[in-house]
Structures are given as structure tokens and as C-alpha cells.
Amino acid sequence: MKQVQISEDLFLSLIKYHILEYYNEEEKIAEGLQQKLDSVINQNLYTKYKTALTEEEKAREEYLDRKGIHSSFQW
């Protein structure tokens, strides 16, 4: 299983939330985790695109669509 790194700030917020039951940073934690999830998904799509064996694979299009690059700029 792959490992994922998070910022020290997010890690400390998670510790405060789960161990110290300090719930004031829920939005900050949710936002940080969502950003990390988006980053992991984008990296996986990019890796799939770069290692694609055939042109039929749609990983490139998925990656560019997810990044918000208009289809007229895609080649």
C-alpha cells in the first residue's frame, strides 16, 4: 500500500480533533483532506496518462478535464 504525506499543520489538527476532542477545526481538517484527496487523484490520473500503452485510454482527458483545461487547448 502506498503512503501519503500530509502537512504537519493538518496532522496536528487531526490529533487535536481525535485525541483532545477539540472540534473547532473541523472545516480546516475537511478542507485539508479534500485538497489532499484531489492531489492524490490528479497524481494517479497523470501517472496513468504518462504510462498508457494505448491511445484509447482516457486518463489524459480525465486529468486535463479535472484540472479545468478547456478541450480546445487539449491536443
Side-chain angles (χ1 to χ4, degrees):
M1 179 172 252
K2 292 182 178 181
Q3 296 183 3
V4 176
Q5 293 182 354
I6 60 172
S7 69
E8 183 177 351
D9 188 41
L10 179 57
F11 179 70
L12 293 175
S13 294
L14 286 167
I15 288 175
K16 288 178 194 176
Y17 182 84
H18 289 287
I19 296 176
L20 302 176
E21 298 179 1
Y22 181 73
Y23 301 119
N24 294 342
E25 299 184 2
E26 287 184 38
E27 285 185 32
K28 180 180 172 183
I29 292 170
E31 183 179 310
L33 291 175
Q34 185 62 48
Q35 288 175 350
K36 190 59 182 181
L37 177 62
D38 290 342
S39 176
V40 168
I41 290 170
N42 287 339
Q43 181 62 38
N44 286 340
L45 290 172
Y46 182 76
T47 300
K48 188 176 176 182
Y49 152 64
K50 290 303 269 185
T51 59
L53 298 176
T54 64
E55 195 65 33
E56 290 81 34
E57 292 193 49
K58 298 290 183 183
R60 178 178 180 275
E61 289 177 29
E62 288 178 51
Y63 174 76
L64 295 174
D65 288 342
R66 187 160 177 83
K67 294 302 273 185
I69 298 173
H70 194 271
S71 59
S72 64
F73 290 109
Q74 299 177 14
W75 39 272

